[in-house]
Amino acid sequence: MSVLRGALADCADGASTAIELTGDPGLGKSRLLRELAEAGHAGGLTVLAGRATEFDRARSPDDEIATLLTLATSADHGHGVLLCLDDLHWADERTVQRLHVLLRRPPATPLILAYSHRPRQASARLLASLHHAATHYRTTRLPLPPLDRQACRTLIRARHEPARREQLCAMSGGNPLYLQVLCELGIDDATGFAELPDTLRATLARETALLTEAELTVLRAAAVLGDPFDPMLLTPVSGLAEESALAALDVLAQADLVRVCRPSGARPDSRRLLRFRHPLLREVVSEETPPGWRLLANARADRALCEAGAGIVERAPHVARTARVGDTEAVRLLIEAAARTAHTAPATAAAWQLAALRLSAPNGSRETNRGRLGLLLGLADAYGVTGDLAACRDALGQALDLVPPDQPEQRVPVVVLRSVVERILGSVTTAERVLEAELELWPTTDKRADPLRLQLATNRMGQGRFDEADALLDALHVRTRGSEDRRVTVSTAACRSLGAAYSGRIKPLRTHSAEASSAFDVMPDDELATFLDELGQLGWAEVLAEQHRDAIRHMSRGVRIARQTGQRHVALYLLLCQSYAQHATGDLTNAIASASGAEEAAYLLDRPDLVAYALTLRAASTSLQVNPAAAAGAAERGLRALARPGSGRLRELAAAVLASVRLDQGRPEDCLELLRSICGVDRSVATHALRATWYCVGAQAEMARGDVAAAQDWADAAVEAAEAMPLPGQRGYAHLAMGCRVGEEDPAHAVELFSAAADSFGAAGLVLVESRALLQLGRALSATGRPDEATTVIGRAKQIADAHGAAFLASLATNTQRRIGARRPRRDPTGGALSEQERRISAMVASGLSNRDIAAGLFVSVKTVEAHLTRIFRKLGVTSRSGLVSALSQSSG
């Protein structure tokens, strides 16, 4: 637009300009010409505009653009002429000739000749004419490239979740028109695009309107083969003679419908593959292909690929489209192709599993049912990898229907998997019902049903039914004592550790978490991949036990394995736990990254409650890394999304985070309203490890609003919660709450409490809460008349905040230091010359520190230091730093 505006200014000065806009369709050439035309109208130019079409070459010579060229050449138009010509690659020979004349013999009237074309489709004569304009023109060429990822994201904005945005950016190829269309479509990785809008279909179909029957047949054959395709297969797939097929291919390439595509890493002598200019163009061609012809072409494609020695993955799409029900060889091929692509292209693998299931004839025999059971389990696995857990659940339900009740041992693994899926989908009640119904088929002492009992215990532990869960686990322990059943032993330890953490039982928490941790740490990755659900239970237990470093270590390994093995659903829980632990240890940047990854995974699994919790975790870290105002929006959205009944613990966590944000925003009333909603009588279902934290925030909020009695109640509750959960961090919150309560009445006692709080948080590794406690300690020290100690302590608080990128806490430390400095008593040791602050700055200058170093040491700005030095120089009658040092030396002498 800057170039176009410059051309308008040049035209007003009497200069003529030729502006060439080039690029693929959809990149914005026409839009730019329209913008230029509107600006030209506003500037008083005579604006002539026309567009060539694919039909122009078949028209009579008296076409629209030729007429416009004549007008631009022959008429006198006062202020100047703007001639906008779009899609010149379609121009006929007479138009090209007149354009050549205009470029070689410019009119006397100042002229802006702006034209667009697609270079790949333009004739050689047109390109030669455009590139050899007379020197009278100021020539500017504007090739329009595809948009980069950031520009694509800007166009998409927040209309789609992060993973979908990245997919849309990639599929659009940076083409804004296609990106706009794709944003409105449902897209499936395996089956392609949803129904295309009529306007776009018509736009793309125009490009094929003038193709001959042979050319269109070859283009359809290319669409059947896919992207990219081997041109040597076009002959057998199209059914044309080789000479005819290759001649048609040349026309398609010249029209830029297909392009050369050499795969990365290919040798220079390898055969060149071709591809469609854009996947949407291929989709339009496929839609317009008669269904009968497409079926026959797919069958021909499979035969050609088979004869050429192609692998089963290449053949699978064509087999899936053409095989008949009962074709056992086709079923075998599709199953094998799905297995090979399960982790690289899980949605495609799922589509092939589904096709194999459709082709297998259900005759009710035991053998057939066994085969269909395997297909359904494979399909469920593929859906699980893609994150489509609802489809996974349905496939597992169909699989269970194929296992007769008199063979319960075959049902156990299917029921276990279905219960896990139901739990991940948030249907805990359904998961429990499925497990209980299946357990009715088993004697209570039969060990083969222990996996069902493990899952039932996990469900009940998550619901807070700790006694029932422990009873199930106790029975399992008795049956497996002394056995080699590693899964039951390790899974039981992980489940018990989480239950102990929820219920505040420290001794069993440490015992069971240590047992599970030791087992997981020695497992190879392939074995641990089957324990990721249990690993997540251990991670949350470690977080609640204040073993955050262990949790981060386990979760980071688990996330890596989950991604490698396609277990997206488990990765979500691991990422949430990882973010929580990273925030606790002050790793704010990675905490935000983990929360964002969890948010994306929750979107894909259609879990709005976990999307909300991920937002909450992100807000908690953003509040400290940036400021509370920057985090408030995400925290509010998270809490609103968890307002529905049944959100339970997640809603409490979201309310607590927003309460802390509100307190830091200086809104204690709002903070207390949130806390009362989750801390009232019989209201909280939170774990014991969180209560002291919340009560501490409540005490601080009541003190902020001046209600000492209410603050005492909150502080007492914090002490009681810490005694019930004797961990260093819990004691720290109790000390902090009591310190805030007694601060104004007994500063000396507050110093002891805040010091104890800081020590406790440091022992727990809660570094940023330690920084907050140190800030409180510094203020209390200042109130007791110990400013030097206060300055040192607050300096430590700021160092911690700076080291962990907690800008908000660092700003609190700086402001506190300034307030303490402002309250210092002023002394006059030089007979009225310098204040205490000025003497300190003078001494720092004498020690050789720069102004910036002095500012950092005193927690003031460089400008403040410079202002002090100006006054010092004036008072001591010196004009330089060396003069200041000399004056101080004489004074001390």
Side-chain angles (χ1 to χ4, degrees):
M1 286 305 299
S2 175
V3 169
L4 301 184
R5 285 190 288 268
L8 293 171
D10 291 343
C11 188
D13 293 336
S16 293
T17 306
I19 303 173
E20 180 182 52
L21 298 168
T22 58
D24 287 348
L27 289 179
K29 302 184 299 299
S30 301
R31 174 65 182 270
L32 281 172
L33 288 177
R34 288 199 301 272
E35 294 286 336
L36 178 60
E38 291 179 9
H41 275 299
L45 298 182
T46 297
V47 178
L48 306 173
R51 160 179 270 160
T53 72
E54 62 272 34
F55 303 107
D56 283 349
R57 292 173 182 171
R59 287 181 177 176
S60 64
D62 189 21
D63 62 84
E64 177 188 17
I65 290 185
T67 302
L68 293 175
L69 289 169
T70 301
L71 286 173
T73 305
S74 60
D76 184 5
H77 294 284
H79 292 92
V81 177
L82 168 59
L83 177 57
C84 296
L85 304 178
D86 203 2
D87 287 343
L88 280 185
H89 50 278
W90 295 121
D92 61 16
E93 285 300 316
R94 185 164 182 262
T95 300
V96 172
Q97 182 178 358
R98 291 193 178 184
L99 181 62
H100 178 78
V101 171
L102 182 60
L103 286 168
R104 298 301 298 170
R105 302 172 190 170
T109 300
L111 170 67
I112 299 176
L113 174 57
Y115 50 88
S116 75
H117 66 89
R118 306 173 197 169
R120 293 172 183 263
Q121 295 175 255
S123 67
R125 185 172 181 184
L126 174 64
L127 293 176
S129 297
L130 296 178
H131 289 181
H132 294 88
T135 56
H136 178 84
Y137 289 100
R138 298 177 180 177
T139 303
T140 301
R141 293 186 171 86
L142 295 177
L144 300 186
L147 302 179
D148 59 23
R149 283 298 177 92
Q150 186 56 49
C152 288
R153 295 188 193 104
T154 301
L155 286 182
I156 298 172
R157 297 195 178 97
R159 287 185 287 172
H160 297 274
E161 66 271 15
R164 179 63 79 192
R165 288 199 294 268
E166 291 304 308
Q167 183 188 30
L168 291 170
C169 291
M171 295 183 74
S172 71
N175 187 302
L177 172 63
Y178 298 160
L179 180 63
Q180 180 182 3
V181 172
L182 290 170
C183 284
E184 306 301 328
L185 297 179
I187 307 168
D188 186 275
D189 292 335
T191 59
F193 305 98
E195 185 71 15
L196 295 176
D198 290 339
T199 52
L200 179 65
R201 185 186 296 106
T203 299
L204 293 173
R206 281 171 45 197
E207 300 192 51
T208 65
L210 296 182
L211 296 178
T212 66
E213 186 62 31
E215 293 159 358
L216 186 58
T217 297
V218 170
L219 191 62
R220 288 170 174 171
V224 166
L225 286 169
D227 265 343
F229 62 88
D230 185 341
M232 296 307 295
L233 294 175
L234 289 175
T235 295
V237 175
S238 66
L240 299 176
E242 182 173 354
E243 185 176 351
S244 298
L246 295 182
L249 178 62
D250 287 342
V251 174
L252 300 179
Q254 186 178 7
D256 197 31
L257 296 171
V258 298
R259 295 176 176 176
V260 172
C261 167
R262 176 175 294 173
S264 59
R267 298 198 316 271
D269 60 344
S270 63
R271 180 183 297 172
R272 289 190 174 188
L273 301 179
L274 299 179
R275 62 177 175 85
F276 278 77
R277 188 183 68 232
H278 194 277
L280 283 177
L281 176 59
R282 175 177 174 245
E283 182 67 16
V284 167
V285 174
S286 294
E287 283 190 0
E288 299 299 323
T289 299
W293 190 94
R294 186 165 56 238
L295 281 173
L296 290 174
N298 272 285
R300 292 193 293 265
D302 180 47
R303 286 197 298 272
L305 287 167
C306 187
E307 292 171 0
I312 59 174
V313 173
E314 293 175 88
R315 293 179 56 199
H318 308 291
V319 172
R321 295 174 191 138
T322 59
R324 298 176 183 274
V325 174
D327 187 337
T328 56
E329 177 58 24
V331 170
R332 184 201 63 76
L333 183 144
L334 290 170
I335 292 174
E336 188 173 348
R340 293 190 185 184
T341 58
H343 296 303
T344 57
T348 300
W352 290 344
Q353 288 275 9
L354 193 60
L357 186 66
R358 175 178 53 81
L359 294 173
S360 62
N363 56 19
S365 69
R366 184 179 294 271
E367 182 179 355
T368 299
N369 284 350
R370 186 162 51 248
R372 289 179 64 80
L373 175 62
L375 282 170
L376 284 165
L377 293 177
L379 181 61
D381 186 53
Y383 281 138
V385 174
T386 65
D388 189 352
L389 294 190
C392 175
R393 174 183 57 195
D394 294 342
L396 290 171
Q398 294 178 55
L400 280 174
D401 292 339
L402 294 176
V403 184
D406 61 350
Q407 298 178 356
E409 68 281 357
Q410 293 186 20
R411 298 173 60 88
V412 168
V414 183
V415 174
V416 166
L417 182 56
R418 184 179 173 187
S419 70
V420 171
V421 170
E422 294 283 7
R423 174 158 51 86
I424 292 172
L425 286 170
S427 306
V428 179
T429 303
T430 302
E432 185 160 340
R433 187 167 59 248
V434 168
L435 290 165
E436 289 176 337
E438 200 65 27
L439 279 169
E440 291 180 359
L441 304 176
W442 291 89
T444 56
T445 57
D446 196 322
K447 294 172 58 175
R448 291 176 296 173
D450 283 348
L452 300 173
R453 299 183 181 102
L454 265 176
Q455 283 301 315
L456 189 58
T458 300
N459 265 32
R460 290 178 177 174
M461 201 71 79
Q463 292 174 294
R465 298 159 63 182
F466 305 123
D467 291 341
E468 297 176 47
D470 280 334
L472 284 166
L473 295 175
D474 288 341
L476 283 173
H477 177 67
V478 170
R479 279 195 298 277
T480 58
R481 184 181 299 159
S483 74
E484 299 298 323
D485 194 337
R486 179 183 178 90
R487 172 161 289 281
V488 171
T489 301
V490 176
S491 299
T492 298
C495 186
R496 283 192 187 277
S497 67
L498 184 57
Y502 281 155
S503 55
R505 294 171 289 144
I506 298 300
K507 185 176 179 180
L509 166 58
R510 288 173 174 158
T511 299
H512 297 307
S513 64
E515 181 183 359
S517 178
S518 298
F520 290 143
D521 286 343
V522 299
M523 282 185 185
D525 285 359
D526 58 347
E527 183 180 5
L528 188 58
T530 67
F531 281 94
L532 293 185
D533 188 25
E534 292 85 350
L535 186 68
Q537 296 171 32
L538 172 64
W540 281 110
E542 289 172 329
V543 161
L544 297 174
E546 298 180 0
Q547 298 169 340
H548 298 101
R549 297 293 179 189
D550 291 333
I552 292 172
R553 175 169 57 84
H554 287 133
M555 295 306 96
S556 61
R557 185 183 176 201
V559 168
R560 175 178 58 78
I561 294 173
R563 286 172 172 165
Q564 288 175 346
T565 57
Q567 299 183 66
R568 294 185 185 179
H569 51 290
V570 183
L572 164 59
Y573 287 89
L574 303 179
L575 284 167
L576 289 171
C577 181
Q578 181 171 273
S579 177
Y580 192 105
Q582 288 166 332
H583 173 87
T585 57
D587 188 359
L588 300 179
T589 298
N590 283 325
I592 291 172
S594 296
S596 298
E599 181 184 353
E600 177 182 324
Y603 269 120
L604 293 173
L605 292 176
D606 193 23
R607 285 294 304 271
D609 54 337
L610 297 184
V611 171
Y613 185 46
L615 281 172
T616 296
L617 291 176
R618 180 154 58 86
S621 293
T622 301
S623 181
L624 300 180
Q625 188 180 61
V626 185
N627 56 54
E636 291 164 0
R637 292 197 304 276
L639 183 58
R640 280 197 303 271
L642 292 166
R644 61 182 178 82
S647 296
R649 186 177 290 110
L650 291 181
R651 185 191 176 279
E652 291 189 336
L653 296 170
V657 167
L658 184 55
S660 296
V661 171
R662 291 293 188 241
L663 181 60
D664 284 337
Q665 285 182 299
R667 298 166 58 177
E669 291 284 359
D670 294 337
C671 168
L672 288 165
E673 182 180 354
L674 288 162
L675 289 177
R676 292 187 191 110
S677 72
I678 61 176
C679 294
V681 177
D682 296 330
R683 297 292 295 276
S684 177
V685 298
T687 64
H688 286 62
L690 300 176
R691 292 174 182 172
T693 310
W694 300 355
Y695 298 146
C696 178
V697 173
Q700 292 173 303
E702 291 289 10
M703 289 303 298
R705 60 191 292 269
D707 192 335
V708 178
Q712 183 67 56
D713 291 339
W714 285 99
D716 290 342
V719 171
E720 182 181 351
E723 289 173 350
M725 191 79 173
L727 293 169
Q730 306 307 298
R731 289 194 293 271
Y733 283 113
H735 291 316
L736 188 58
M738 291 301 298
C740 292
R741 158 63 188 85
V742 305
E744 295 182 6
E745 298 176 358
D746 190 350
H749 187 202
V751 166
E752 296 175 1
L753 290 167
F754 289 138
S755 179
D759 290 343
S760 295
F761 290 135
L766 304 173
V767 290
L768 296 183
V769 196
E770 179 188 4
S771 177
R772 284 187 183 269
L774 290 172
L775 287 176
Q776 297 280 24
L777 175 59
R779 293 170 186 142
L781 286 168
S782 177
T784 60
R786 297 151 71 181
D788 291 335
E789 293 178 63
T791 299
T792 300
V793 166
I794 294 171
R796 281 175 53 204
K798 188 173 187 303
Q799 287 175 347
I800 292 172
D802 287 337
H804 293 84
F808 174 66
L809 294 183
S811 68
L812 292 181
T814 298
N815 293 336
T816 303
Q817 183 63 62
R818 288 172 178 168
R819 285 196 295 272
I820 292 174
R823 290 197 297 266
R824 282 179 178 272
R826 303 296 181 186
R827 294 187 304 210
D828 196 4
T830 57
L834 302 182
S835 68
E836 176 66 18
Q837 184 76 332
E838 289 168 348
R839 282 183 61 82
R840 180 176 288 104
I841 291 174
S842 298
M844 296 173 84
V845 170
S847 68
L849 295 178
S850 67
N851 288 359
R852 185 172 298 278
D853 293 334
I854 295 170
L858 297 179
F859 304 102
V860 297
S861 67
V862 174
K863 288 187 177 180
T864 299
V865 173
E866 292 171 349
H868 277 300
L869 283 175
T870 299
R871 289 193 292 272
I872 292 169
F873 288 172
R874 185 175 65 250
K875 288 180 179 182
L876 297 184
V878 299
T879 59
S880 66
R881 296 169 74 92
S882 59
L884 169 60
V885 173
S886 177
L888 291 177
S889 176
Q890 293 173 6
S891 174
S892 62

